[in-house]
Amino acid sequence: VQLQASGGGLVQAGGSLRLSCAASGRTFSRYEMGWFRQAPGKEREFVAAISWNGGSPYYAGSVKGRFTISTDSAKNTVYLQMNSLQPEDTAVYYCAADEGLPLMYWVVAHFTDMDYWGKGTQVTVSS
């Protein structure tokens, strides 16, 4: 599975950005998909996760109500719509895929549990 993330940038507090993660590989549809982020000096943390097969997505408490994760199976792409961005959302955002971990456990998963990673995309929110 190959993952290509894009869409980061610089935005003012209160603004919005949409991240994209293009997935490829013969069996990528078997994997659950999600986003993690890593701020300077901090460990990589869970942000949101979703299944290609539908069902409820999962969010970290810090982003619930502001971020929305979605999929477009026709484009093999996972999106992260980020609204009401705050300076504390500043981080490198990473797309991740995992086959074995049920979606509900992504909320408490450690980043080392994930099978595949895309290259990160920088999100910077100015105050």
Side-chain angles (χ1 to χ4, degrees):
V1 175
Q2 293 81 46
L3 306 174
Q4 181 67 48
S6 61
L10 173 64
V11 64
Q12 289 187 330
S16 298
L17 282 174
R18 189 177 77 161
L19 306 183
S20 300
C21 175
S24 60
R26 289 185 299 172
T27 61
F28 74 88
S29 60
R30 289 164 33 187
Y31 291 76
E32 311 288 20
M33 302 292 298
W35 293 91
F36 283 67
R37 67 186 181 185
Q38 188 167 15
K42 294 187 177 181
E43 193 170 80
R44 196 172 299 187
E45 64 176 7
F46 169 76
V47 174
I50 194 168
S51 173
W52 290 108
N53 299 322
S56 297
Y58 288 82
Y59 298 96
S62 58
V63 307
K64 193 173 293 184
R66 300 188 298 123
F67 291 12
T68 302
I69 189 171
S70 61
T71 61
D72 185 334
S73 297
K75 296 182 178 180
N76 301 337
T77 300
V78 178
Y79 300 101
L80 185 68
Q81 177 67 43
M82 305 184 294
N83 298 329
S84 302
L85 283 162
Q86 299 301 316
E88 53 265 35
D89 295 315
T90 295
V92 179
Y93 283 71
Y94 296 89
C95 181
D98 190 85
E99 184 179 14
L101 189 67
L103 207 60
M104 68 178 71
Y105 294 120
W106 279 57
V107 179
V108 295
H110 192 263
F111 71 89
T112 55
D113 294 329
M114 301 296 111
D115 291 334
Y116 296 98
W117 291 99
K119 289 184 179 180
T121 183
Q122 176 72 47
V123 172
T124 303
V125 185
S126 64
S127 58

